[in-house]
């Protein structure tokens, strides 16, 4: 893996497909070629504030779908990838790349996942990855849900959701989160994007939480009893598995929300045209005061007291009082 300084735009535009922050000054992006987004190329760009230069990169021959930060518990007998905080990237084909802090990269495979790998069962692409308790979990097309063991193997836990090999139609899972391993939430859609699904369960089975909403794109655990989900057609759901979920969407909201998180007591919603705050059934546009304003977003992360909002071309962060844009030298300036 050859690492290069990132100091100027290259021969093609870069689109930020996945992002994960470790602190207010440490951010990793997986970028696609903006002229061929799904062509099996990823430019992995890391930002470290105060470094010279602040950005470096390396390239991979793959398509990255999602990323998360993995901070494992220290347990005896765990594999090397299970003992060190790492940036973790998931490919559409179900390959998992760990970039442990201060150690060599480690690659794993979710057997049976993806579409084109030799061991793929044809269920579909992998779409989301998250840490729940001390373990990584992932989900994708065909009702795939996996849990990673401390030894580094991935177990299929989508009992009742996973599509049989002879079944037609499909269940696409695009989001996963949970307060602990026995209460995992997955969301997405069945058959079409206006037929949303939200399930809660574990390896013993899954229960639908509510119905009659559009597709789910993101799930956020604010507290054990406060779970949020968002999606297309202005969908915002709030609740838990015991009390159920309520549709708290704003009437006549047609926005497509692609990520949701809580910061400083407020619920933030990302769209590809800007950032919003949700409060008591209403949403309002966030005015950052930046020039130009932040009008791009699809990844929200809260870490180290900072809210990051990463779009396909713009990176901003909020410390509770001031918004700041992080310049990305891999593309022309957005100013």
């Amino acid at each position: 893996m050859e690492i290069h300084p990132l100091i100027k735009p290259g021969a093609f535009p870069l689109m930020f497909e996945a992002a994960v922050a470790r602190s207010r000054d440490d951010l990793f992006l997986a970028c696609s070629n903006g002229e061929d987004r799904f062509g099996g190329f990823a430019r992995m760009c890391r930002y470290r504030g105060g470094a010279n230069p602040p950005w470096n990169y390396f390239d991979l021959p793959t398509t990255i779908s999602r990323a998360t930060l993995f901070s494992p518990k220290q347990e005896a007998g765990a594999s090397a990838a299970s003992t060190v905080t790492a940036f973790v990237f998931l490919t559409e084909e179900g390959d998992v790349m760990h970039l442990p802090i201060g150690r060599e990269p480690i690659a794993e495979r979710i057997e049976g996942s993806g579409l084109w790998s030799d061991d793929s069962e044809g269920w579909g692409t992998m779409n989301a990855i998250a840490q729940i308790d001390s373990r990584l979990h992932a989900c994708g097309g065909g009702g795939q849900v996996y849990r990673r063991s401390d030894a580094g193997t991935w177990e299929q836990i989508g009992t009742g959701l996973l599509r049989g090999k002879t079944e037609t139609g499909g269940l696409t899972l695009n989001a996963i989160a949970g307060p602990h391993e026995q209460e995992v939430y997955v969301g997405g859609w069945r058959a079409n994007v206006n037929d949303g699904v939200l399930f809660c369960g574990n390896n013993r089975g899954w229960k639908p939480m509510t119905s009659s909403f559009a597709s789910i794109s993101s799930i956020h655990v604010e507290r054990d009893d406060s779970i949020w989900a968002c999606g297309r057609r202005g969908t915002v759901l709030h609740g838990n598995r015991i009390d159920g979920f309520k549709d708290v969407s704003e009437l006549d909201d047609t926005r497509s929300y692609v990520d949701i998180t809580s910061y400083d007591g407020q619920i933030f919603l990302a769209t590809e045209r800007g950032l919003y705050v949700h409060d008591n059934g209403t949403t309002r546009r966030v005015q950052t005061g930046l020039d130009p304003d932040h009008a791009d977003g699809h990844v929200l992360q809260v870490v180290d007291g900072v809210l990051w909002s990463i779009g396909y071309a713009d990176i901003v962060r909020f410390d509770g009082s001031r918004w700041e844009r992080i310049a990305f030298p891999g593309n022309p300036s957005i100013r």
Side-chain angles (χ1 to χ4, degrees):
M1 180 187 301
E2 189 173 358
I3 299 176
H4 308 276
L6 184 61
I7 56 177
K8 62 181 180 179
F12 48 81
L14 296 172
M15 291 186 68
F16 311 152
E17 301 291 351
V20 56
R22 187 168 75 101
S23 73
R24 65 181 61 207
D25 287 312
D26 196 352
L27 175 72
F28 230 125
L29 303 177
C31 306
S32 66
N33 178 345
E35 297 174 348
D36 184 16
R37 286 183 63 191
F38 307 106
F41 168 84
R43 178 153 291 174
M44 311 297 291
C45 304
R46 187 176 181 185
Y47 167 80
R48 285 178 288 183
N52 185 22
W55 287 93
N56 288 278
Y57 77 93
F58 60 91
D59 293 339
L60 294 174
T62 191
T63 300
I64 301 291
S65 58
R66 207 67 65 89
T68 193
L69 188 69
F70 183 38
S71 300
K73 296 178 181 178
Q74 304 299 313
E75 297 180 358
S79 68
S82 298
T83 58
V84 177
T85 297
F87 299 98
V88 179
F89 292 88
L90 174 70
T91 75
E92 288 188 340
E93 278 299 291
D95 297 306
V96 183
M97 181 176 63
H98 298 251
L99 300 176
I101 307 302
R103 296 192 183 183
E104 291 297 310
I106 298 172
E108 296 173 350
R109 168 93 188 124
I110 303 178
E111 292 187 10
S113 65
L115 286 171
W116 309 110
S117 300
D118 290 342
D119 64 5
S120 295
E121 298 287 351
W123 290 310
T125 60
M126 294 301 298
N127 301 325
I129 188 167
Q131 180 173 344
I132 301 173
D133 266 354
S134 63
R135 303 179 196 274
L136 289 170
H137 292 64
C139 67
Q144 297 174 90
V145 189
Y146 301 92
R147 175 183 294 149
R148 181 184 182 275
S149 72
D150 289 334
T153 58
W154 290 81
E155 172 194 8
Q156 173 66 252
I157 64 169
T159 303
L161 299 180
L162 190 64
R163 185 186 70 203
K165 293 183 180 180
T166 61
E167 292 182 49
T168 59
L171 172 66
T172 299
L173 298 178
N174 203 46
I176 187 167
H180 51 78
E181 290 185 12
Q182 301 308 311
E183 189 175 331
V184 177
Y185 294 86
V186 293
W189 63 93
R190 190 188 301 278
N192 67 76
V193 294
N194 292 323
D195 185 15
V197 295
L198 179 66
F199 295 96
C200 179
N202 50 47
N203 59 321
R204 294 190 298 273
W206 299 85
K207 179 181 178 181
M209 292 289 97
T210 185
S211 60
S212 301
F213 54 91
S215 63
I216 295 298
S217 56
S218 179
I219 303 170
H220 169 64
V221 179
E222 183 182 22
R223 301 183 307 273
D224 286 7
D225 64 346
S226 181
I227 313 298
W228 294 84
C230 69
R232 290 172 60 92
R233 292 171 53 190
T235 296
V236 183
L237 306 176
H238 182 230
N240 58 68
R241 69 177 180 86
I242 296 174
D243 301 320
F245 280 78
K246 294 181 179 179
D247 186 339
V248 296
S249 309
E250 184 176 8
L251 293 176
D252 301 321
D253 189 348
T254 60
R255 289 180 285 265
S256 289
Y257 296 121
V258 292
D259 206 359
I260 186 169
T261 195
S262 55
Y263 177 72
D264 195 24
Q266 294 183 301
I267 298 300
F268 285 82
L269 292 156
T271 78
E272 295 176 6
R273 296 186 177 181
L275 192 60
Y276 291 80
V277 167
H278 174 86
D279 184 28
N280 293 324
T282 63
T283 55
R284 61 176 175 83
R285 179 71 182 268
V286 174
Q287 303 294 331
T288 64
L290 298 171
D291 183 20
D293 201 0
H294 182 52
D296 177 20
H298 75 115
V299 177
L300 296 176
Q301 297 236 314
V302 175
V303 61
D304 199 17
V306 170
L307 170 66
W308 287 89
S309 179
I310 298 101
Y312 287 105
D314 194 14
I315 306 167
V316 302
R317 63 186 179 190
F318 181 57
D319 64 4
S321 60
R322 185 176 72 94
W323 288 92
E324 178 184 10
R325 174 168 282 120
I326 305 300
F328 180 71
N331 285 334
S333 172
I334 67 172
R335 291 181 179 274

